Amino acid sequence: LKKLLGYYKNIVGEIQKSGMLKSELHISILAGIILCDELYKEKEKAALLRKTLNSKETENNEDIYKIATDLISQIEKVL
């Protein structure tokens, strides 16, 4: 929680440095929106990564199934 507060304060500081906003309320609201935006982007990245990993897992399972089937066929030929 301390790290999050520190991060929030850094964002607030950056907004204050820009001089775009003077109202503490507006600065706090913008900082909250920036944090929400960052969180949303990270969740989207995580979802895409999860989807990619699941896709790779499916591909790997298909490869494993093919190799196992080929090995079984070869064993059956020998027997």
Side-chain angles (χ1 to χ4, degrees), residues 13-74:
E14 291 298 318
I15 295 169
Q16 288 172 331
K17 282 183 197 175
S18 74
M20 291 174 33
L21 300 173
K22 301 296 179 201
S23 165
E24 292 294 319
L25 177 62
H26 291 160
I27 292 169
S28 297
I29 290 170
L30 183 56
I33 291 170
I34 290 170
L35 281 173
C36 288
D37 182 56
E38 288 180 7
L39 176 61
Y40 178 78
K41 287 176 183 175
E42 290 301 317
K43 286 182 115 179
E44 288 293 311
K45 285 182 197 175
L48 180 60
L49 179 59
R50 209 173 298 115
K51 183 178 178 183
T52 301
L53 289 175
N54 287 337
S55 174
K56 293 291 183 189
E57 185 177 315
T58 300
E59 289 175 15
N60 288 341
N61 287 343
E62 290 171 359
D63 290 343
I64 291 169
Y65 178 78
K66 185 181 179 322
I67 291 169
T69 304
D70 290 344
L71 286 172
I72 290 169
S73 293
Q74 289 176 11

